[in-house]
Amino acid sequence: MCGAPKQGNGLAGIDLSVQTVIQGQVWHDGAPVAGAYVRLLGTDDEFTAEVVTSPEGEFRFFAAPGEWKVRSLAPVGKGERVISAEVGLNETTVAIG
């Protein structure tokens, strides 16, 4: 079992003044993708973490501020998004093409 919190839950108890949270959803053809693997990679493609999306296609990572790649892999395809994360809540959507 992965150490990530249950996806889709609120951020109660998380101090966004000191934490960097990257969260969002994975979409394909206008619908969320459940069960997709989402990887958090450094800008040099160095693997950092991986979670599986919730039934609503949601994912969440706790990371350091900086440039990150969020890559999604699912049976319907793959997608990638580069995000510049700052301390606080950083939301993004990954579209699978």
Side-chain angles (χ1 to χ4, degrees):
M1 182 152 204
C2 125
K6 184 175 185 296
Q7 304 301 304
N9 285 349
L11 292 172
I14 304 301
D15 184 354
L16 292 176
S17 69
V18 296
Q19 294 280 341
T20 302
V21 178
I22 300 171
Q23 72 176 25
Q25 284 185 296
V26 175
W27 286 81
H28 175 68
D29 283 343
V33 179
Y37 291 91
V38 181
R39 294 180 179 166
L40 185 66
L41 306 166
T43 54
D44 58 356
D45 284 339
E46 182 179 336
F47 177 85
T48 301
E50 181 175 82
V51 296
V52 177
T53 58
S54 71
E56 295 79 26
E58 298 170 325
F59 63 88
R60 179 178 303 141
F61 295 104
F62 292 87
E67 295 288 321
W68 295 96
K69 288 183 186 177
V70 180
R71 183 176 293 158
S72 179
L73 307 167
V76 294
K78 61 184 176 179
E80 183 173 287
R81 189 81 183 253
V82 175
I83 184 169
S84 181
E86 299 178 355
V87 171
L89 182 59
N90 301 268
E91 296 191 77
T92 190
T93 301
V94 180
I96 293 181

mmCIF file of all heavy atoms in Angstrom, residues 5 11 13-23 40 48-49 59-68 70 83-91:
data_model
loop_
_atom_site.group_PDB
_atom_site.id
_atom_site.type_symbol
_atom_site.label_atom_id
_atom_site.label_comp_id
_atom_site.label_asym_id
_atom_site.label_seq_id
_atom_site.Cartn_x
_atom_site.Cartn_y
_atom_site.Cartn_z
ATOM 1 N N PRO A 5 -1.933 9.880 1.253
ATOM 2 C CA PRO A 5 -3.249 9.928 1.883
ATOM 3 C C PRO A 5 -4.314 9.482 0.906
ATOM 4 O O PRO A 5 -4.105 9.519 -0.308
ATOM 5 C CB PRO A 5 -3.413 11.398 2.248
ATOM 6 C CG PRO A 5 -2.523 12.122 1.303
ATOM 7 C CD PRO A 5 -1.372 11.188 1.037
ATOM 8 N N LEU A 11 -8.025 18.786 2.942
ATOM 9 C CA LEU A 11 -6.676 19.020 3.447
ATOM 10 C C LEU A 11 -6.694 19.409 4.923
ATOM 11 O O LEU A 11 -5.822 20.143 5.382
ATOM 12 C CB LEU A 11 -5.994 20.096 2.613
ATOM 13 C CG LEU A 11 -5.688 19.689 1.171
ATOM 14 C CD1 LEU A 11 -5.201 20.876 0.364
ATOM 15 C CD2 LEU A 11 -4.655 18.579 1.135
ATOM 16 N N GLY A 13 -5.929 19.617 8.631
ATOM 17 C CA GLY A 13 -4.705 19.290 9.358
ATOM 18 C C GLY A 13 -3.420 19.569 8.591
ATOM 19 O O GLY A 13 -2.335 19.358 9.106
ATOM 20 N N ILE A 14 -3.521 20.028 7.358
ATOM 21 C CA ILE A 14 -2.344 20.333 6.550
ATOM 22 C C ILE A 14 -2.097 21.842 6.608
ATOM 23 O O ILE A 14 -2.982 22.631 6.282
ATOM 24 C CB ILE A 14 -2.529 19.897 5.083
ATOM 25 C CG1 ILE A 14 -2.875 18.414 4.995
ATOM 26 C CG2 ILE A 14 -1.293 20.235 4.258
ATOM 27 C CD1 ILE A 14 -1.848 17.488 5.599
ATOM 28 N N ASP A 15 -0.907 22.233 7.011
ATOM 29 C CA ASP A 15 -0.555 23.653 7.107
ATOM 30 C C ASP A 15 0.004 24.107 5.763
ATOM 31 O O ASP A 15 1.179 23.895 5.452
ATOM 32 C CB ASP A 15 0.472 23.857 8.225
ATOM 33 C CG ASP A 15 0.811 25.322 8.450
ATOM 34 O OD1 ASP A 15 0.339 26.183 7.669
ATOM 35 O OD2 ASP A 15 1.540 25.599 9.419
ATOM 36 N N LEU A 16 -0.858 24.731 4.953
ATOM 37 C CA LEU A 16 -0.453 25.156 3.614
ATOM 38 C C LEU A 16 0.483 26.358 3.618
ATOM 39 O O LEU A 16 0.966 26.768 2.569
ATOM 40 C CB LEU A 16 -1.688 25.444 2.759
ATOM 41 C CG LEU A 16 -2.517 24.206 2.407
ATOM 42 C CD1 LEU A 16 -3.773 24.607 1.650
ATOM 43 C CD2 LEU A 16 -1.706 23.200 1.609
ATOM 44 N N SER A 17 0.788 26.887 4.797
ATOM 45 C CA SER A 17 1.771 27.969 4.851
ATOM 46 C C SER A 17 3.188 27.418 4.854
ATOM 47 O O SER A 17 4.146 28.175 4.644
ATOM 48 C CB SER A 17 1.545 28.851 6.083
ATOM 49 O OG SER A 17 1.852 28.148 7.272
ATOM 50 N N VAL A 18 3.335 26.110 5.066
ATOM 51 C CA VAL A 18 4.662 25.488 5.054
ATOM 52 C C VAL A 18 4.738 24.256 4.152
ATOM 53 O O VAL A 18 5.823 23.828 3.788
ATOM 54 C CB VAL A 18 5.131 25.099 6.482
ATOM 55 C CG1 VAL A 18 5.301 26.334 7.339
ATOM 56 C CG2 VAL A 18 4.182 24.119 7.143
ATOM 57 N N GLN A 19 3.599 23.669 3.781
ATOM 58 C CA GLN A 19 3.564 22.467 2.939
ATOM 59 C C GLN A 19 3.382 22.845 1.472
ATOM 60 O O GLN A 19 2.700 23.824 1.158
ATOM 61 C CB GLN A 19 2.390 21.558 3.339
ATOM 62 C CG GLN A 19 2.505 20.969 4.709
ATOM 63 C CD GLN A 19 3.421 19.765 4.728
ATOM 64 O OE1 GLN A 19 3.707 19.148 3.704
ATOM 65 N NE2 GLN A 19 3.889 19.415 5.908
ATOM 66 N N THR A 20 3.957 22.056 0.593
ATOM 67 C CA THR A 20 3.733 22.192 -0.843
ATOM 68 C C THR A 20 2.929 20.981 -1.289
ATOM 69 O O THR A 20 3.407 19.846 -1.190
ATOM 70 C CB THR A 20 5.064 22.265 -1.617
ATOM 71 O OG1 THR A 20 5.813 23.374 -1.111
ATOM 72 C CG2 THR A 20 4.831 22.440 -3.105
ATOM 73 N N VAL A 21 1.712 21.223 -1.733
ATOM 74 C CA VAL A 21 0.810 20.150 -2.158
ATOM 75 C C VAL A 21 0.544 20.317 -3.646
ATOM 76 O O VAL A 21 0.184 21.397 -4.106
ATOM 77 C CB VAL A 21 -0.516 20.204 -1.368
ATOM 78 C CG1 VAL A 21 -1.469 19.117 -1.851
ATOM 79 C CG2 VAL A 21 -0.260 20.080 0.127
ATOM 80 N N ILE A 22 0.739 19.224 -4.385
ATOM 81 C CA ILE A 22 0.407 19.177 -5.810
ATOM 82 C C ILE A 22 -0.746 18.200 -5.940
ATOM 83 O O ILE A 22 -0.611 17.028 -5.578
ATOM 84 C CB ILE A 22 1.600 18.708 -6.661
ATOM 85 C CG1 ILE A 22 2.778 19.665 -6.495
ATOM 86 C CG2 ILE A 22 1.189 18.584 -8.126
ATOM 87 C CD1 ILE A 22 4.076 19.159 -7.119
ATOM 88 N N GLN A 23 -1.890 18.687 -6.412
ATOM 89 C CA GLN A 23 -3.034 17.795 -6.562
ATOM 90 C C GLN A 23 -3.809 18.162 -7.808
ATOM 91 O O GLN A 23 -3.662 19.252 -8.351
ATOM 92 C CB GLN A 23 -3.947 17.828 -5.345
ATOM 93 C CG GLN A 23 -4.763 19.072 -5.174
ATOM 94 C CD GLN A 23 -5.706 18.986 -3.992
ATOM 95 O OE1 GLN A 23 -5.471 18.250 -3.036
ATOM 96 N NE2 GLN A 23 -6.785 19.739 -4.045
ATOM 97 N N LEU A 40 5.210 11.492 -10.016
ATOM 98 C CA LEU A 40 5.819 12.795 -9.795
ATOM 99 C C LEU A 40 7.296 12.644 -10.111
ATOM 100 O O LEU A 40 7.992 11.809 -9.517
ATOM 101 C CB LEU A 40 5.617 13.239 -8.341
ATOM 102 C CG LEU A 40 6.116 14.640 -8.014
ATOM 103 C CD1 LEU A 40 5.299 15.695 -8.765
ATOM 104 C CD2 LEU A 40 6.044 14.890 -6.512
ATOM 105 N N THR A 48 10.141 10.336 -8.254
ATOM 106 C CA THR A 48 10.015 10.766 -6.864
ATOM 107 C C THR A 48 8.916 10.009 -6.146
ATOM 108 O O THR A 48 9.108 9.547 -5.029
ATOM 109 C CB THR A 48 9.742 12.281 -6.789
ATOM 110 O OG1 THR A 48 10.825 12.960 -7.423
ATOM 111 C CG2 THR A 48 9.623 12.759 -5.359
ATOM 112 N N ALA A 49 7.741 9.881 -6.771
ATOM 113 C CA ALA A 49 6.607 9.222 -6.115
ATOM 114 C C ALA A 49 5.592 8.787 -7.161
ATOM 115 O O ALA A 49 5.609 9.260 -8.299
ATOM 116 C CB ALA A 49 5.948 10.175 -5.123
ATOM 117 N N PHE A 59 -5.649 12.894 -7.675
ATOM 118 C CA PHE A 59 -4.349 12.493 -7.128
ATOM 119 C C PHE A 59 -3.819 13.609 -6.247
ATOM 120 O O PHE A 59 -4.259 14.752 -6.344
ATOM 121 C CB PHE A 59 -3.344 12.174 -8.250
ATOM 122 C CG PHE A 59 -3.022 13.350 -9.129
ATOM 123 C CD1 PHE A 59 -1.993 14.221 -8.793
ATOM 124 C CD2 PHE A 59 -3.750 13.601 -10.283
ATOM 125 C CE1 PHE A 59 -1.692 15.316 -9.594
ATOM 126 C CE2 PHE A 59 -3.455 14.692 -11.097
ATOM 127 C CZ PHE A 59 -2.419 15.548 -10.748
ATOM 128 N N ARG A 60 -2.844 13.281 -5.380
ATOM 129 C CA ARG A 60 -2.231 14.287 -4.503
ATOM 130 C C ARG A 60 -0.815 13.854 -4.154
ATOM 131 O O ARG A 60 -0.560 12.688 -3.855
ATOM 132 C CB ARG A 60 -3.039 14.434 -3.224
ATOM 133 C CG ARG A 60 -2.430 15.454 -2.250
ATOM 134 C CD ARG A 60 -3.267 15.622 -0.993
ATOM 135 N NE ARG A 60 -4.616 16.018 -1.355
ATOM 136 C CZ ARG A 60 -5.714 15.556 -0.739
ATOM 137 N NH1 ARG A 60 -5.615 14.694 0.247
ATOM 138 N NH2 ARG A 60 -6.891 15.962 -1.115
ATOM 139 N N PHE A 61 0.100 14.832 -4.178
ATOM 140 C CA PHE A 61 1.479 14.629 -3.750
ATOM 141 C C PHE A 61 1.873 15.734 -2.777
ATOM 142 O O PHE A 61 1.427 16.872 -2.916
ATOM 143 C CB PHE A 61 2.456 14.703 -4.939
ATOM 144 C CG PHE A 61 2.286 13.627 -5.959
ATOM 145 C CD1 PHE A 61 1.664 13.892 -7.174
ATOM 146 C CD2 PHE A 61 2.768 12.346 -5.719
ATOM 147 C CE1 PHE A 61 1.523 12.897 -8.128
ATOM 148 C CE2 PHE A 61 2.619 11.351 -6.667
ATOM 149 C CZ PHE A 61 1.994 11.624 -7.871
ATOM 150 N N PHE A 62 2.749 15.397 -1.849
ATOM 151 C CA PHE A 62 3.402 16.379 -0.989
ATOM 152 C C PHE A 62 4.840 16.447 -1.485
ATOM 153 O O PHE A 62 5.507 15.420 -1.593
ATOM 154 C CB PHE A 62 3.343 15.947 0.480
ATOM 155 C CG PHE A 62 1.939 15.978 1.013
ATOM 156 C CD1 PHE A 62 1.096 14.893 0.869
ATOM 157 C CD2 PHE A 62 1.458 17.110 1.647
ATOM 158 C CE1 PHE A 62 -0.200 14.922 1.353
ATOM 159 C CE2 PHE A 62 0.156 17.151 2.134
ATOM 160 C CZ PHE A 62 -0.680 16.053 1.982
ATOM 161 N N ALA A 63 5.302 17.638 -1.825
ATOM 162 C CA ALA A 63 6.610 17.784 -2.466
ATOM 163 C C ALA A 63 7.297 19.044 -1.964
ATOM 164 O O ALA A 63 6.741 19.803 -1.174
ATOM 165 C CB ALA A 63 6.419 17.859 -3.982
ATOM 166 N N ALA A 64 8.495 19.263 -2.463
ATOM 167 C CA ALA A 64 9.220 20.508 -2.195
ATOM 168 C C ALA A 64 8.835 21.524 -3.268
ATOM 169 O O ALA A 64 8.443 21.145 -4.376
ATOM 170 C CB ALA A 64 10.720 20.253 -2.235
ATOM 171 N N PRO A 65 8.950 22.803 -2.983
ATOM 172 C CA PRO A 65 8.709 23.802 -4.020
ATOM 173 C C PRO A 65 9.696 23.602 -5.177
ATOM 174 O O PRO A 65 10.823 23.175 -4.967
ATOM 175 C CB PRO A 65 8.983 25.132 -3.307
ATOM 176 C CG PRO A 65 8.840 24.839 -1.852
ATOM 177 C CD PRO A 65 9.279 23.413 -1.683
ATOM 178 N N GLY A 66 9.248 23.901 -6.381
ATOM 179 C CA GLY A 66 10.119 23.793 -7.546
ATOM 180 C C GLY A 66 9.391 23.285 -8.773
ATOM 181 O O GLY A 66 8.172 23.168 -8.798
ATOM 182 N N GLU A 67 10.166 22.993 -9.808
ATOM 183 C CA GLU A 67 9.628 22.482 -11.067
ATOM 184 C C GLU A 67 9.438 20.976 -10.990
ATOM 185 O O GLU A 67 10.361 20.256 -10.578
ATOM 186 C CB GLU A 67 10.581 22.807 -12.221
ATOM 187 C CG GLU A 67 10.745 24.284 -12.495
ATOM 188 C CD GLU A 67 9.514 24.907 -13.144
ATOM 189 O OE1 GLU A 67 8.894 24.271 -14.008
ATOM 190 O OE2 GLU A 67 9.178 26.039 -12.758
ATOM 191 N N TRP A 68 8.264 20.496 -11.384
ATOM 192 C CA TRP A 68 7.938 19.072 -11.356
ATOM 193 C C TRP A 68 7.229 18.662 -12.635
ATOM 194 O O TRP A 68 6.547 19.470 -13.255
ATOM 195 C CB TRP A 68 7.022 18.757 -10.177
ATOM 196 C CG TRP A 68 7.658 18.975 -8.852
ATOM 197 C CD1 TRP A 68 7.561 20.093 -8.063
ATOM 198 C CD2 TRP A 68 8.502 18.073 -8.151
ATOM 199 N NE1 TRP A 68 8.285 19.930 -6.918
ATOM 200 C CE2 TRP A 68 8.877 18.687 -6.947
ATOM 201 C CE3 TRP A 68 8.986 16.793 -8.423
ATOM 202 C CZ2 TRP A 68 9.704 18.072 -6.019
ATOM 203 C CZ3 TRP A 68 9.807 16.180 -7.500
ATOM 204 C CH2 TRP A 68 10.157 16.814 -6.320
ATOM 205 N N VAL A 70 4.329 15.951 -13.817
ATOM 206 C CA VAL A 70 3.291 15.041 -13.365
ATOM 207 C C VAL A 70 2.915 14.220 -14.588
ATOM 208 O O VAL A 70 2.425 14.759 -15.580
ATOM 209 C CB VAL A 70 2.072 15.812 -12.804
ATOM 210 C CG1 VAL A 70 1.005 14.846 -12.338
ATOM 211 C CG2 VAL A 70 2.498 16.740 -11.677
ATOM 212 N N ILE A 83 4.688 21.498 -13.876
ATOM 213 C CA ILE A 83 4.118 22.452 -12.937
ATOM 214 C C ILE A 83 5.236 23.090 -12.119
ATOM 215 O O ILE A 83 6.192 22.417 -11.735
ATOM 216 C CB ILE A 83 3.065 21.781 -12.025
ATOM 217 C CG1 ILE A 83 2.400 22.802 -11.101
ATOM 218 C CG2 ILE A 83 3.645 20.624 -11.256
ATOM 219 C CD1 ILE A 83 1.177 22.271 -10.379
ATOM 220 N N SER A 84 5.099 24.373 -11.892
ATOM 221 C CA SER A 84 6.009 25.098 -11.021
ATOM 222 C C SER A 84 5.293 25.248 -9.685
ATOM 223 O O SER A 84 4.397 26.082 -9.551
ATOM 224 C CB SER A 84 6.334 26.461 -11.624
ATOM 225 O OG SER A 84 7.246 27.146 -10.785
ATOM 226 N N ALA A 85 5.647 24.409 -8.724
ATOM 227 C CA ALA A 85 4.948 24.355 -7.443
ATOM 228 C C ALA A 85 5.569 25.308 -6.436
ATOM 229 O O ALA A 85 6.782 25.411 -6.328
ATOM 230 C CB ALA A 85 4.977 22.928 -6.903
ATOM 231 N N GLU A 86 4.700 25.990 -5.723
ATOM 232 C CA GLU A 86 5.112 26.883 -4.650
ATOM 233 C C GLU A 86 4.531 26.355 -3.349
ATOM 234 O O GLU A 86 3.659 25.487 -3.360
ATOM 235 C CB GLU A 86 4.605 28.300 -4.926
ATOM 236 C CG GLU A 86 5.160 28.890 -6.205
ATOM 237 C CD GLU A 86 4.615 30.263 -6.498
ATOM 238 O OE1 GLU A 86 3.722 30.739 -5.755
ATOM 239 O OE2 GLU A 86 5.062 30.872 -7.484
ATOM 240 N N VAL A 87 4.998 26.877 -2.220
ATOM 241 C CA VAL A 87 4.415 26.505 -0.938
ATOM 242 C C VAL A 87 2.928 26.821 -1.000
ATOM 243 O O VAL A 87 2.533 27.879 -1.488
ATOM 244 C CB VAL A 87 5.094 27.259 0.229
ATOM 245 C CG1 VAL A 87 4.348 27.026 1.527
ATOM 246 C CG2 VAL A 87 6.550 26.824 0.358
ATOM 247 N N GLY A 88 2.109 25.881 -0.556
ATOM 248 C CA GLY A 88 0.660 26.031 -0.620
ATOM 249 C C GLY A 88 0.059 24.981 -1.528
ATOM 250 O O GLY A 88 0.687 23.974 -1.847
ATOM 251 N N LEU A 89 -1.161 25.217 -1.954
ATOM 252 C CA LEU A 89 -1.895 24.279 -2.790
ATOM 253 C C LEU A 89 -1.658 24.606 -4.264
ATOM 254 O O LEU A 89 -1.888 25.734 -4.704
ATOM 255 C CB LEU A 89 -3.391 24.358 -2.477
ATOM 256 C CG LEU A 89 -4.296 23.415 -3.237
ATOM 257 C CD1 LEU A 89 -3.912 21.954 -2.989
ATOM 258 C CD2 LEU A 89 -5.738 23.652 -2.848
ATOM 259 N N ASN A 90 -1.187 23.622 -5.016
ATOM 260 C CA ASN A 90 -0.920 23.741 -6.442
ATOM 261 C C ASN A 90 -1.808 22.744 -7.178
ATOM 262 O O ASN A 90 -1.606 21.531 -7.023
ATOM 263 C CB ASN A 90 0.550 23.444 -6.734
ATOM 264 C CG ASN A 90 1.482 24.380 -5.997
ATOM 265 O OD1 ASN A 90 1.860 25.411 -6.520
ATOM 266 N ND2 ASN A 90 1.839 24.048 -4.769
ATOM 267 N N GLU A 91 -2.782 23.226 -7.926
ATOM 268 C CA GLU A 91 -3.716 22.325 -8.606
ATOM 269 C C GLU A 91 -3.431 22.280 -10.102
ATOM 270 O O GLU A 91 -3.060 23.282 -10.697
ATOM 271 C CB GLU A 91 -5.147 22.759 -8.340
ATOM 272 C CG GLU A 91 -5.503 22.658 -6.864
ATOM 273 C CD GLU A 91 -6.973 22.820 -6.607
ATOM 274 O OE1 GLU A 91 -7.710 21.849 -6.855
ATOM 275 O OE2 GLU A 91 -7.367 23.902 -6.179
#
